[in-house]
Amino acid sequence: MTTRTRTRTRTRTRTALRTTALATALTLALAAGPLAAPALADSAPATATAQVAGPDAKALQAAIAGLPNADATAALVRVGGKGPDWHGSAGVHDLASGRPADPDGRFRAGSTTKVVTAAVVLQLAAEGDVDLGRPARHYLPELIPATYKDVTVRQLLNHTSGIPVPDLPGDTFEEVYAHRFDIHTAREMVASATAKEPEFAPGTGQHYLNIGYTVLEVLIERVTGHSYEREAARRIFGPLGMRDTYLPGTDPEIRGPHNHGYQAVPRADGTTKLRDVTVWGTTDTGAAGAMISTTADLERLLTALFRGQVVPEPQLTEMFTVPADVPGATMSAGLQRHVTDDGTELWGKSGGRWGYNTIVIGTRDLSRTLVYSVNSTDAKGYAMNPVAARIIEATFRR
């Protein structure tokens, strides 16, 4: 098996396992019962008004207690909804100083970037500049080869395009670490991916990968005549007041206050050491996963999006529609649907960069929302981080 094939297989397996782990955590979190009922109408007498139950503060505090530990060095959490909010943080800013984690610190938000990218594309669709049912090749004829002539913009958004991963250097952590400052362009990655044979015919399967959103980055720039970074800032970050959110481009640093991220690396003697991975280039992900943000900003994004203040109807429906004719599909345009055993439906997006795990998720009616950043010591690992799993359970369990 070649390195290229191993990388592709490892990516597919890891994504599937982490998605399964997240679904399992969400199922366990909601198994105890439904979310709190909404409050009575404002016109009801004060003595008869039912209070909306907030999150379990003790359980949330316990979920992030004891940091730093082997699983994570810090955690920042915001739980919102129709009851009282809960904000909490734990752990350290960095292991060297041992200072408390900055609760307002910026972090690498990973694939939650896709929520922003999807919103930009859907805004362009609402404005008549993009047709979701039209082949992407219509907009990028010189970049998308005839092999992928039938792949539509909608299929890029919901991961049903069949376009495989591009070739990127490195297979092991050490190899990837050695290339952490490499510069990649979206066009180069699209060209690398589309030079290969499709994984499946467009619309017949769903495989969660970054490549569809890399194509969308180039498409946004072609349609608008501006950089993806400018459009995201002009259309999303600015209007929503996301002042601590930005796209770093080729800068491997995190600007402004932030907590350090670490990766557990095996030693020859069988022990592990924690390597600081805070400074790391993100040009390999771009519109698929390069965003830097805060929990407050991501909560603002989630709330405004679900209220219809970012993407207008009917385009917003795309974000809450999973392809019905694709077996096992859970991804929509920018989001993922989780349905628990009791039928409770959650919509959101997780993300992982080395040293950082993030989630933005909530019920469609915003009765309960969760945003966290967990400085996982194995943020690109196969399993659900134990600290993150405890946060999810404490958030959505009554």
Side-chain angles (χ1 to χ4, degrees), residues 17-380:
L17 288 173
R18 289 177 65 195
T19 299
T20 301
L22 177 58
T24 300
L26 290 166
T27 299
L28 291 174
L30 286 154
L35 299 180
L40 297 179
D42 292 339
S43 59
T47 56
T49 301
Q51 296 297 315
V52 178
D56 187 335
K58 289 184 178 180
L60 283 164
Q61 195 62 56
I64 60 176
L67 301 184
N69 61 21
D71 299 315
T73 58
L76 314 179
V77 184
R78 296 178 74 92
V79 179
K82 294 181 179 178
D85 295 342
W86 188 88
H87 305 159
S89 63
V92 295
H93 167 271
D94 65 281
L95 293 175
S97 72
R99 290 178 4 223
D102 183 347
D104 302 315
R106 297 174 178 177
F107 50 82
R108 300 195 185 280
S111 286
T112 63
T113 310
K114 292 182 177 72
V115 180
V116 172
T117 305
V120 172
V121 172
L122 293 173
Q123 284 186 6
L124 292 170
E127 294 161 10
D129 293 324
V130 171
D131 182 341
L132 301 182
R134 179 167 282 180
R137 193 169 190 244
H138 170 81
Y139 301 97
L140 302 168
E142 80 291 352
L143 185 61
I144 306 298
T147 307
Y148 294 96
K149 63 182 176 63
D150 295 325
V151 171
T152 67
V153 176
R154 180 176 286 108
Q155 289 163 349
L156 295 173
L157 284 166
N158 63 25
H159 305 280
T160 60
S161 70
I163 302 176
V165 295
D167 289 329
L168 293 170
D171 188 36
T172 67
F173 168 76
E174 292 293 354
E175 291 168 347
V176 175
Y177 182 80
H179 289 276
R180 67 193 183 281
F181 298 134
D182 288 3
I183 304 297
H184 308 276
T185 70
R187 285 182 166 272
E188 289 172 350
M189 289 190 289
V190 173
S192 171
T194 57
K196 305 174 185 179
E197 291 298 311
E199 290 190 346
F200 48 80
T204 64
Q206 187 175 73
H207 182 189
Y208 176 74
L209 294 173
N210 286 337
I211 188 60
Y213 281 69
T214 306
V215 177
L216 290 171
E217 177 179 343
V218 184
L219 187 149
I220 289 168
E221 294 182 341
R222 170 61 56 83
V223 171
T224 65
H226 303 137
S227 70
Y228 166 72
E229 291 82 1
R230 174 176 170 177
E231 287 300 304
R234 183 176 73 87
R235 292 172 174 271
I236 311 296
F237 306 155
L240 296 185
M242 298 171 66
R243 291 184 291 273
D244 291 309
T245 302
Y246 71 98
L247 291 151
T250 59
D251 184 0
E253 305 272 355
I254 300 177
R255 301 197 300 266
H258 60 276
N259 302 307
H260 288 224
Y262 297 87
Q263 170 67 25
V265 181
R267 291 189 176 102
D269 62 3
T271 62
T272 60
K273 62 180 178 180
L274 292 180
R275 182 177 300 174
D276 193 320
V277 291
T278 308
V279 181
W280 196 301
T282 55
T283 58
D284 60 327
T285 55
M291 182 170 66
I292 290 171
S293 191
T294 64
T295 55
D297 275 3
L298 291 181
E299 185 180 61
R300 188 173 293 112
L301 170 65
L302 179 69
T303 302
L305 181 69
F306 282 27
R307 287 176 177 166
Q309 298 168 346
V310 180
V311 176
E313 291 286 1
Q315 286 73 29
L316 182 60
T317 302
E318 298 281 341
M319 302 193 82
F320 297 97
T321 302
V322 172
D325 54 349
V326 177
T330 62
M331 309 299 301
S332 63
L335 298 175
Q336 183 173 15
R337 182 180 67 187
H338 300 277
V339 181
T340 66
D341 289 343
D342 67 359
T344 303
E345 189 174 73
L346 296 173
W347 293 89
K349 189 71 192 74
S350 60
R353 291 291 307 183
W354 297 104
Y356 302 89
N357 277 145
T358 304
I359 201 169
V360 293
I361 196 166
T363 55
R364 180 68 181 87
D365 65 356
L366 294 172
S367 58
R368 182 61 51 83
T369 64
L370 167 65
V371 177
Y372 68 61
S373 170
V374 173
N375 291 61
S376 169
T377 58
D378 191 16
K380 288 289 188 178

